[in-house]
Amino acid sequence: MNSSAISVRNLWKVFGSGGAKIPLDPELSALPSSNLLERTGCVAAVRNMSFDVAKGEVFVIMGLSGSGKSTLIRCLTRLIEPTSGSVSIGGQDILQARPAELRDLRRQKMSMVFQHFGLLPHRTVLDNVAYGLQIRGAAKNERYARSREVIELVGLKGYESHFPEQLSGGMQQRVGLARALAGDPDAILFDEPFSALDPLIRRDMQAEVIRLHKDMGKTMVFVTHDLSEALKLGDRILIMRHGEAVQCGTGDELVGSPANDYIADFVSEVPRSDVLTLKWIAEPVASSTPGDAPVLSSATIIRDAIHTVMHSSSPVLVEDSGTITGQIDRDSILSVLRSTRAAA
Amino acid sequence: MRKTSVLKRLVPALAGAAATALLLSACGGSTVNQAAAADGSKTACGTVNVAMNAWVGYTANAAVYSYVAKEKLGCNVVQKDLNEQIAWQGFSSGEVDIIIENWGHDDLVKQYITEQAVAVDAGPTGNKGRIGWYVPPWLAKAHPDILDSKNLNKYASLLKTSESGGKGQLLDGDPAFVTNDEALVKNLGLDFKVVYSGSEAALIQSFRAAEKNKTPLLGYFYEPQWFLAEVPLVKVNLPKWTAGCDAEPEKVACDYPDYTLNKIISKKFSDSGSPAAKLVKAFTWTNADQDSVATDIQKGMAPEAAAKKWVDAHPQQVDAWLK
Amino acid sequence: MSATLIELEKTSGTEPAPAKLPRRRLSRRALLLLSAAVVWIAGFVFLHGTGTLALPTSELTDLHRSLNHFNSWVASNRDDNPVFLYLLSPLRSAVDAVAAVFTTVFAASSIGLGLPEIGWLGTVALLGWIAFAVGNARVALLTVAVFTFFGLQGLFVEAAHTFALVVTAVLLSLLVGLPMGVLAGVSGRVEKIITPVLDFMQILPTFVYLAPLALVFLIGPASAVIATVIYAAPPIIRLTAHGIRGIPENTREASDSLGTTSLQRLFTLQIPMAKRTIVMGINQGTMAALSMVTIAALIAAPGLGQVVVRALQSLDVGTAVNAGLSIVLMAIMLDRVTTAASERALPATQRRRSRVSRRTRMIVVGATFALVLMLVQLSRTMLWAARFPQEVNLGPAITGGVDNASEWLQTHLFLLTGAFREAVTLAFLNPFQTAVTETPFFIMFAALALVAYAFGGWKLTALVLACLTMIIYLGLWGDAMVTLASTLVATVIVMVLGIVFGVAMGRSSRFDKLMRPVLDAGQTLPAFVYLVPFLGLFGATRFTAIIAGVIYAAPAAIKIMADGISGVSPTVVEAAVASGSTPWQVITKVQLPMARKSLGLAANQGLIYVLAMVVVGALVGAGGLGYDVVAGFVQSSLFGKGLAAGLAIVFLGILLDRITQAAAFTAPSRSLSTAQPTTTKEA
Ligand SMILES: Nc1ncnc2c1ncn2[C@@H]1O[C@H](COP(=O)(O)OP(=O)(O)OP(=O)(O)O)[C@@H](O)[C@H]1O
Ligand SMILES: [Mg+2]
């Protein structure tokens, strides 16, 4: 378990007075949200949640509005106090941490980027980015030097002495990002960081995050309600509904084998050819297939295989770590493409 | 950017102007030091704290006393505007030396003179105070028999107002004065209601308007009071005061007694032997004296000037106080 | 004040109320209110005259008599009780010392010629410079003009005394108020405890505690300053707390996520972000302090208040107005300067772009300071710069003009005003007062409890019943009902004015601009100034008292309504106009319903402001609790009753405040949900 960066076990968060009893009560804890609210006046925003995030992984939490994503991600640094369960970060159980330890954790190990930026309006960009360092007690020169580096990294060079109000939404979120990066944390938590931005800027910012992740390899927990964003960024995706985990897996696992109708419905509009890999459509190798047919890795995304398959006179073989596991032909590709178009 | 250059020019200009002003001032006009030197000619008598109660008659007394103490004795007189109750409090905290016109106040006398022994009676001012019910002159002329309290019920409906709940109105004034009016109305069997105007100003203004607009009004008033010089209110006769007739407040059915107005000074001041203390003990004058000064003040003369006028006109009397 | 804050807090939190609830509650509430009215009317018709608990003006209860001993207790303990020796006396000396510094600098030194340390020219220059440094050139100019005008009025020294006391009081209020406000802002529990204390400090009439203060802190500046602080600190505390509370959750969360300690959070986040609201609190506190100067004059606080009080005693309208004008001008000046300062407190980007750069500004500030130093030096040497020249004196002209005008008014309008007064009193005030005072107390209990339950449920009902019980315990039920009747009538008038002028101002910004200074004057002109002419016009009656209350309270209500009306979303108005509504329809169908929350707030503030004038009203014939307070102030044998009456006013105030607040804040959910659909339908 210690190899994972973040490990969550049986986590509950119940809002409302007397909420602490609910996770312990087998009858109440089984009630659906609306009945629970009626009976106790409490809202169970996170229910019995367990998952692990590996070092360097981008872990996406997804769900519709109100499903408890923000609550969950805040429980990870106790910005919201969990009701029960455990959260351990780098092996340390943070629910047992004393205030000073918790502060240390927030200063050194985890930082967060918020949907509404949370910038301090009375401070310049430079001072906003340096804020976390100032809180730690870093000397002025040191923190400004470091902040300038980070500001350059997120592409805001030249805007150091602007105030947040003078920046566009996308630039403000870059400041938020820079602030999170400035302290060089082990992990960064994102709570719907780009949902307030328009689609073009959102795409830029997603690219930015991907780039930063490649460069620095930090663990990231990323909350979003946008499936395409989730698929684009996430190594793994956790889908939440009414505070519960519905399914957790890689993007093509969700699309390829949805755990239930809810997920199936959820992912129905995803262009399958863009997400699924050959693994999901490979058929057993037919005897008629020539041995010198082209070979593609099973991890190839279908869309990228189109060219090869269409130009090959025979079916194409699929291999997984050196062994041939199956084959695909034009028909299998076309059926995926057809279903994609129908969904769209 | 043009703005900046204007500012740049403005700053030296301002500084220059100030320097010029300084230079100019050095050559003309009197200086603070000269004035201070001219002022430092007082002999010492110490500081005297005189409470200033609000009415003009009081102001007249205080003005004349202060003028004499300042000019003839060289005292430093500090006047403090206070209401009566707080002025009496000042005796115990040592902040008030003199109340120069006191109207009775048995409760305060008991508390500060008898019990706490921080104040002493410094003798009468020579003024007589009278409290009673008054009507504006036009009403007295139009209905001469209103001046007898026995006939008041006849006028109850005339004196009715929207405030008096269907009865005749008796307008009371400054809550600082103890009145027996509610008991009087009851015990004399009058069909009247006491309405509280709430302040002396309200009372005076009511009488003033009543005389000017010839509206009927019956109210509580007192003399000496400068307002009587402006509008000579006429007193209504209540059953005559006899000693002891007002012993029990609930059963009073007679007129108010005449007050001998006196001066109250703090014990410490009295014992200090200061010439100012001697002066206040010797200070007496008549209602007419007070009215003349009060009327001058009321007409807009500064109290000091009114006092000077009276002092200059009555040199022997002032000398008698100073002996 | 408190209402505004609560309102702001309420609007910021979204309440997910189930959609069908308001309608059901509405009909039940109407039913409850209706039954309250029925109980009251039936109680009056069948039982009137019984159980009225009226206490004759000159009578006391045992409680009053025992409270009477308070004064003598203080007097006998002052010299040896350790609280007095080691706490209150040093406090007094400290306050006196601070007051003395400002007084000597601006008004008069206690030695020598009694000239101020920095003369009138130095004072004008220094204050103008400070206004420039904290605000801008415009307010600096205003400051210089206003102080010069004081000189021309012949009131420079008086004004400087008042200014010195106000500055002292505001400084001390900040010293007490800022930490308390921060505490109340950070901790909900502290705020809960402190709120009723602040209500108490603001509603308890000054007359009640002036005499004991003078006994404890002696006559003079210290008592005056402390009395002022009691009144001026609450708005500072409330607004500071509100500013800190109002910081967006997401900003606070962001700073927490970086691992701030609570001290770091306070200094890097909460105080900087609340700065503007805090400065607004300072503005409010300053205004409150200034409104105390006339009352503080009653314990020998020097300054303009004394001129006004003395003029009131001799019914000298001209002099009173001259001094009153100074007070209004000082209020406007202080208001504009602190407002400019609060704009400067905004982060650089939010305020209007200034045309000069920061550096140029610093240079100008520095250079003008040198100039100020020179002028101060000049004032210390030259007599003409030290003492304002007597030759130019507009005072007599103003005084004479005002005297003539007031004389003319009183002569020519008397019949008209008299008839008006009679009509309102007989048709409106007398029947209503009879219905309130003649109804048995238990009927009033029941009716008010029903009203409270309709608006605020059990909690409010319990509070209201507790307040009423306290009033009975204080032995002043009858007087309290007299005061309640006048207060309610005055509030109705205030609301009518508020709606009429508020709508007019909300719809026309030109009219708004025109009215603002008039409203400012109405709020800051000491009542003592206009009492005398009003006495001439309306006599010593409850009506005059009501008018005084209206003059003071209407500006606040009008301002709130104007803001509410102009705050109605322009698109909604546009939609209504586009669908062919007449202006009248727009006002009655769209703007007023949508500004319903402001309506409630205006009623609440109107009530509280009217209540603040209860004591002043008693000086011109209001009777009731106000008279008891005044009498307690001037007669030691009535001190206990006055104190009890002051407390009764507080309980009455809290009761009315909580009921109107509850009424105001439960209304909007309905008004919005009903107002919006109709307008869209029309559109
Ligand atoms: N402080 C709170 N008190 C009570 N209930 C709360 C609180 N915060 C959140 N909730 C409830 O918890 C549930 C989950 O809220 P949360 O904000 O975590 O959802 P979310 O998935 O982040 O939604 P969104 O996508 O809209 O941000 C909601 O039903 C919400 O009403
Ligand atoms: Mg969320």
Side-chain angles (χ1 to χ4, degrees):
Chain A
M1 211 44 54
N2 274 356
S3 67
S4 59
I6 301 170
S7 164
V8 174
R9 286 291 169 275
N10 307 102
L11 190 71
W12 281 81
K13 175 62 198 180
V14 185
F15 288 111
S17 61
K21 296 193 304 267
I22 289 167
L24 306 176
D25 185 323
E27 191 209 332
L28 287 177
S29 65
L31 281 178
S33 306
S34 53
N35 297 4
L36 187 69
L37 182 66
E38 207 161 274
R39 283 235 340 234
T40 62
C42 292
V43 178
V46 174
R47 292 164 169 260
N48 204 16
M49 187 67 75
S50 303
F51 60 86
D52 291 284
V53 180
K55 277 206 179 77
E57 184 182 11
V58 179
F59 186 81
V60 173
I61 301 171
M62 252 206 70
L64 298 179
S65 189
S67 54
K69 310 178 294 287
S70 298
T71 309
L72 174 59
I73 201 170
R74 278 167 177 72
C75 285
L76 300 185
T77 53
R78 275 172 67 188
L79 282 174
I80 289 179
E81 200 63 46
T83 308
S84 72
S86 78
V87 175
S88 66
I89 310 263
Q92 179 193 6
D93 185 355
I94 67 146
L95 299 194
Q96 308 303 325
R98 277 168 291 129
E101 290 169 353
L102 186 63
R103 265 202 306 276
D104 245 29
L105 179 105
R106 289 175 181 173
R107 288 176 182 185
Q108 316 283 355
K109 296 198 173 150
M110 310 262 268
S111 29
M112 190 153 169
V113 180
F114 296 88
Q115 177 175 6
H116 299 291
F117 320 139
L119 301 180
L120 310 187
H122 58 285
R123 288 174 161 240
T124 59
V125 166
L126 185 64
D127 276 323
N128 260 295
V129 174
Y131 185 57
L133 299 168
Q134 182 191 356
I135 294 301
R136 290 186 198 177
K140 201 165 185 160
N141 294 337
E142 184 192 326
R143 67 176 193 251
Y144 280 168
R146 167 71 187 150
S147 302
R148 287 210 167 81
E149 273 172 37
V150 191
I151 288 173
E152 195 172 348
L153 194 65
V154 299
L156 278 181
K157 197 170 162 60
Y159 289 95
E160 287 87 349
S161 56
H162 282 58
F163 285 92
E165 280 241 337
Q166 295 166 309
L167 304 180
S168 70
M171 290 159 92
Q172 290 192 34
Q173 195 54 294
R174 283 171 199 263
V175 178
L177 195 57
R179 178 175 63 187
L181 290 173
D184 196 22
D186 301 342
I188 306 183
L189 311 179
F190 296 83
D191 185 14
E192 298 195 30
F194 308 141
S195 52
L197 307 179
D198 68 54
L200 284 182
I201 296 182
R202 191 184 310 169
R203 212 173 57 198
D204 284 354
M205 294 296 292
Q206 287 162 354
E208 190 80 36
V209 168
I210 292 171
R211 182 175 68 83
L212 288 171
H213 183 247
K214 254 198 214 115
D215 290 355
M216 305 186 172
K218 293 200 187 300
T219 311
M220 294 182 174
V221 179
F222 198 104
V223 166
T224 179
H225 60 233
D226 176 354
L227 185 60
S228 67
E229 187 168 79
L231 293 169
K232 201 172 197 176
L233 298 176
D235 293 329
R236 277 189 308 147
I237 300 169
L238 170 76
I239 296 192
M240 283 180 79
R241 185 190 188 192
H242 299 323
E244 282 171 315
V246 185
Q247 188 173 5
C248 182
T250 60
D252 55 340
E253 276 168 3
L254 293 179
V255 176
S257 64
N260 56 23
D261 289 351
Y262 179 73
I263 305 281
D265 198 30
F266 211 90
V267 299
S268 64
E269 297 197 357
V270 175
R272 299 165 69 85
S273 59
D274 293 2
V275 178
L276 291 184
T277 54
L278 299 184
K279 181 175 110 191
W280 297 96
I281 54 168
E283 292 151 5
V285 180
S287 50
S288 60
T289 309
D292 62 347
V295 179
L296 285 172
S297 157
S298 70
T300 312
I301 297 209
I302 295 174
R303 191 185 50 202
D304 301 338
I306 294 174
H307 182 83
T308 319
V309 174
M310 292 302 166
H311 287 85
S312 159
S313 50
S314 61
V316 174
L317 292 172
V318 176
E319 62 86 36
D320 187 4
S321 43
T323 53
I324 300 292
T325 54
Q327 68 164 26
I328 50 171
D329 55 18
R330 292 180 190 179
D331 282 349
S332 52
I333 293 255
L334 282 176
S335 73
V336 173
L337 287 178
R338 210 177 301 126
S339 74
T340 302
R341 199 162 313 123
Chain B
M1 281 310 98
R2 227 180 68 230
K3 211 79 199 170
T4 325
S5 63
V6 169
L7 282 168
K8 264 186 190 145
R9 258 180 287 138
L10 191 68
V11 172
L14 281 176
T20 324
L22 267 180
L23 274 178
L24 282 179
S25 66
C27 342
S30 60
T31 69
V32 170
N33 285 341
Q34 287 163 2
D39 189 64
S41 54
K42 275 184 185 161
T43 61
C45 134
T47 299
V48 187
N49 296 300
V50 181
M52 298 298 288
N53 289 172
W55 60 95
V56 180
Y58 188 104
T59 311
N61 283 30
V64 170
Y65 171 79
S66 303
Y67 180 80
V68 175
K70 218 186 270 179
E71 296 303 320
K72 311 273 158 147
L73 301 176
C75 310
N76 175 27
V77 178
V78 180
Q79 299 187 333
K80 296 183 174 173
D81 287 85
L82 301 166
N83 79 39
E84 293 153 278
Q85 192 194 332
I86 293 186
W88 279 82
Q89 276 183 15
F91 288 135
S92 69
S93 58
E95 290 174 295
V96 170
D97 295 321
I98 300 175
I99 292 178
I100 198 133
E101 182 180 290
N102 173 55
W103 288 64
H105 290 302
D106 292 338
D107 53 334
L108 294 172
V109 167
K110 180 164 162 259
Q111 182 177 353
Y112 293 98
I113 296 185
T114 318
E115 285 171 7
Q116 294 185 23
V118 290
V120 296
D121 182 346
T125 63
N127 300 132
K128 281 270 179 289
R130 176 178 297 155
I131 295 177
W133 297 357
Y134 290 75
V135 292
W138 79 266
L139 188 62
K141 205 186 261 163
H143 307 282
D145 61 342
I146 201 174
L147 296 180
D148 188 336
S149 63
K150 287 198 202 73
N151 302 325
L152 277 176
N153 274 344
K154 204 167 89 190
Y155 294 99
S157 64
L158 180 69
L159 291 165
K160 195 171 75 181
T161 69
S162 55
E163 302 299 295
S164 57
K167 302 177 174 176
Q169 170 180 283
L170 170 61
L171 193 65
D172 262 29
D174 193 336
F177 291 95
V178 187
T179 82
N180 304 327
D181 286 355
E182 277 181 5
L184 270 172
V185 165
K186 202 166 86 197
N187 299 332
L188 293 176
L190 297 177
D191 187 24
F192 276 73
K193 182 181 175 201
V194 180
V195 171
Y196 292 87
S197 71
S199 60
E200 189 187 50
L203 198 56
I204 294 179
Q205 192 68 358
S206 298
F207 272 119
R208 187 184 265 167
E211 175 63 12
K212 192 154 103 196
N213 304 316
K214 304 285 180 272
T215 46
L217 180 67
L218 170 70
Y220 171 101
F221 213 71
Y222 28 81
E223 48 191 304
Q225 223 294 351
W226 60 268
F227 178 66
L228 296 180
E230 179 187 324
V231 177
L233 301 179
V234 188
K235 190 168 181 302
V236 174
N237 293 312
L238 296 171
K240 230 179 158 35
W241 179 84
T242 53
C245 77
D246 54 358
E248 262 186 90
E250 286 94 67
K251 300 213 174 113
V252 183
C254 60
D255 208 343
Y256 292 89
D258 280 354
Y259 283 86
T260 302
L261 306 188
N262 61 345
K263 301 151 289 187
I264 309 288
I265 61 176
S266 80
K267 182 95 175 22
K268 211 166 73 209
F269 179 63
S270 170
D271 297 346
S272 70
S274 148
K278 276 203 200 105
L279 173 64
V280 73
K281 287 173 189 162
F283 176 92
T284 59
W285 62 352
T286 62
N287 278 13
D289 288 328
Q290 192 194 48
D291 272 346
S292 77
V293 177
T295 309
D296 279 343
I297 295 174
Q298 193 53 36
K299 282 192 186 135
M301 207 184 256
E304 276 210 348
K308 181 172 182 329
K309 183 177 152 198
W310 186 88
V311 169
D312 289 348
H314 302 81
Q316 308 97 315
Q317 204 171 334
V318 174
D319 282 345
W321 297 342
L322 292 168
K323 247 190 246 130
Chain C
M1 179 54 28
S2 59
T4 334
L5 301 188
I6 289 166
E7 182 211 26
L8 292 173
E9 263 157 34
K10 283 263 166 85
T11 46
S12 60
T14 48
E15 273 173 68
K20 67 173 204 280
L21 219 71
R23 181 150 308 162
R24 207 180 65 206
R25 195 187 285 161
L26 165 69
S27 62
R28 203 189 60 174
R29 177 187 303 166
L31 218 66
L32 281 166
L33 292 179
L34 204 70
S35 52
V38 169
V39 166
W40 180 25
I41 292 170
F44 173 69
V45 169
F46 295 112
L47 297 168
H48 70 94
T50 56
T52 58
L53 304 186
L55 183 74
T57 311
S58 50
E59 275 175 34
L60 303 178
T61 69
D62 288 339
L63 177 74
H64 303 161
R65 270 184 281 273
S66 57
L67 287 175
N68 266 344
H69 296 308
F70 176 75
N71 264 355
S72 40
W73 179 84
V74 171
S76 54
N77 280 278
R78 194 177 42 214
D79 292 331
D80 35 26
N81 189 308
V83 176
F84 286 90
L85 279 181
Y86 301 110
L87 188 69
L88 300 180
S89 297
L91 178 63
R92 188 202 77 231
S93 314
V95 173
D96 258 340
V98 179
V101 169
F102 288 108
T103 308
T104 357
V105 170
F106 296 122
S109 72
S110 52
I111 47 160
L113 291 176
L115 294 173
E117 281 297 320
I118 64 170
W120 74 269
L121 191 62
T123 303
V124 169
L126 181 64
L127 296 180
W129 179 80
I130 291 175
F132 179 60
V134 303
N136 54 41
R138 267 232 318 278
V139 295
L141 211 65
L142 178 73
T143 308
V144 169
V146 164
F147 266 83
T148 313
F149 187 71
F150 292 155
L152 295 177
Q153 285 180 295
L155 292 170
F156 193 90
V157 176
E158 285 81 2
H161 267 296
T162 294
F163 181 75
L165 283 188
V166 167
V167 168
T168 314
V170 170
L171 280 184
L172 292 180
S173 302
L174 291 179
L175 204 68
V176 181
L178 290 185
M180 298 283 272
V182 167
L183 267 182
V186 177
S187 146
R189 192 173 314 151
V190 172
E191 183 169 52
K192 259 212 186 94
I193 296 171
I194 222 173
T195 304
V197 177
L198 297 181
D199 287 340
F200 198 82
M201 286 162 74
Q202 280 186 304
I203 305 179
L204 189 68
T206 323
F207 276 72
V208 171
Y209 52 82
L210 214 47
L213 269 187
L215 202 57
V216 174
F217 296 107
L218 307 187
I219 298 157
S223 297
V225 166
I226 289 171
T228 310
V229 169
I230 291 177
Y231 191 63
I236 294 177
I237 298 175
R238 287 193 214 260
L239 277 163
T240 304
H242 174 63
I244 285 181
R245 240 152 236 285
I247 290 169
E249 181 57 29
N250 60 43
T251 321
R252 194 201 138 127
E253 197 172 43
S255 112
D256 281 359
S257 79
L258 292 165
T260 44
T261 63
S262 44
L263 265 188
Q264 284 174 330
R265 190 195 306 137
L266 186 65
F267 285 107
T268 58
L269 180 80
Q270 289 170 319
I271 289 183
M273 285 189 70
K275 203 156 113 194
R276 188 173 141 74
T277 321
I278 294 174
V279 179
M280 260 163 64
I282 299 176
N283 173 301
Q284 297 276 312
T286 312
M287 294 291 113
L290 197 58
S291 72
M292 281 293 295
V293 296
T294 41
I295 294 179
L298 296 174
I299 46 172
L304 293 168
Q306 293 233 331
V307 182
V308 173
V309 169
R310 230 177 280 160
L312 178 70
Q313 302 297 348
S314 52
L315 287 86
D316 184 349
V317 181
T319 307
V321 169
N322 192 30
L325 181 64
S326 296
I327 293 176
V328 170
L329 288 176
M330 192 179 293
I332 290 179
M333 177 206 90
L334 289 172
D335 174 65
R336 302 301 186 263
V337 172
T338 40
T339 308
S342 83
E343 264 159 32
R344 193 156 281 288
L346 282 175
T349 53
Q350 282 170 25
R351 61 168 181 259
R352 256 176 296 142
R353 292 310 224 114
S354 73
R355 283 159 305 178
V356 282
S357 76
R358 217 190 164 90
R359 215 177 110 245
T360 327
R361 203 183 126 80
M362 289 317 287
I363 295 173
V364 176
V365 168
T368 41
F369 187 65
L371 180 71
V372 167
L373 286 183
M374 272 185 270
L375 290 179
V376 166
Q377 184 50 32
L378 186 65
S379 300
R380 290 173 62 84
T381 46
M382 301 309 300
L383 201 56
W384 64 264
R387 187 186 281 150
F388 201 90
Q390 308 281 310
E391 297 78 49
V392 271
N393 192 345
L394 302 179
I398 297 175
T399 309
V402 170
D403 274 337
N404 289 338
S406 111
E407 194 61 36
W408 186 91
L409 279 177
Q410 291 180 38
T411 319
H412 292 87
L413 292 186
F414 177 78
L415 282 181
L416 203 70
T417 52
F420 182 53
R421 174 198 72 207
E422 289 299 290
V424 173
T425 309
L426 293 176
F428 205 40
L429 181 56
N430 278 354
F432 185 65
Q433 179 167 332
T434 312
V436 174
T437 53
E438 295 287 295
T439 306
F441 72 94
F442 47 87
I443 296 292
M444 293 303 284
F445 261 63
L448 283 170
L450 280 170
V451 171
Y453 187 70
F455 288 125
W458 284 116
K459 243 182 176 167
L460 185 64
T461 313
L463 181 83
V464 163
L465 288 178
C467 285
L468 292 174
T469 312
M470 278 312 292
I471 293 173
I472 294 213
Y473 171 72
L474 291 167
L476 292 165
W477 177 263
D479 284 347
M481 289 302 109
V482 172
T483 297
L484 178 66
S486 315
T487 304
L488 292 179
V489 170
T491 308
V492 169
I493 301 176
V494 164
M495 284 312 291
V496 171
L497 292 176
I499 291 173
V500 171
F501 283 91
V503 167
M505 284 169 67
R507 289 172 60 90
S508 150
S509 65
R510 178 117 57 71
F511 187 59
D512 187 291
K513 273 221 181 73
L514 215 68
M515 284 293 291
R516 291 277 164 175
V518 179
L519 300 181
D520 286 345
Q523 270 181 311
T524 49
L525 189 66
F528 287 8
V529 170
Y530 50 77
L531 286 186
V532 171
F534 280 9
L535 278 168
L537 288 173
F538 301 109
T541 58
R542 283 164 296 153
F543 184 78
T544 312
I546 286 177
I547 295 273
V550 168
I551 288 193
Y552 183 61
I558 293 174
K559 283 180 184 173
I560 293 172
M561 279 311 296
D563 291 346
I565 295 286
S566 62
V568 170
S569 142
T571 42
V572 178
V573 177
E574 220 165 35
V577 173
S579 65
S581 313
T582 62
W584 176 251
Q585 284 172 327
V586 173
I587 293 172
T588 54
K589 296 245 153 60
V590 181
Q591 289 178 316
L592 277 182
M594 289 192 70
R596 200 178 176 126
K597 197 165 195 172
S598 305
L599 214 61
L601 187 63
N604 171 276
Q605 292 296 286
L607 264 172
I608 299 305
Y609 275 67
V610 167
L611 211 57
M613 289 294 276
V614 159
V615 172
V616 169
L619 296 175
V620 291
L625 293 175
Y627 183 86
D628 297 329
V629 170
V630 173
F633 177 57
V634 292
Q635 255 190 65
S636 60
S637 60
L638 295 178
F639 171 80
K641 191 175 183 184
L643 179 55
L647 295 175
I649 290 177
V650 173
F651 289 117
L652 205 56
I654 290 180
L655 179 155
L656 293 172
D657 175 69
R658 301 300 192 268
I659 291 183
T660 46
Q661 261 188 34
F665 298 134
T666 44
S669 65
R670 187 166 68 104
S671 77
L672 287 182
S673 59
T674 56
Q676 229 121 22
T678 50
T679 52
T680 41
K681 236 179 271 159
E682 275 168 17

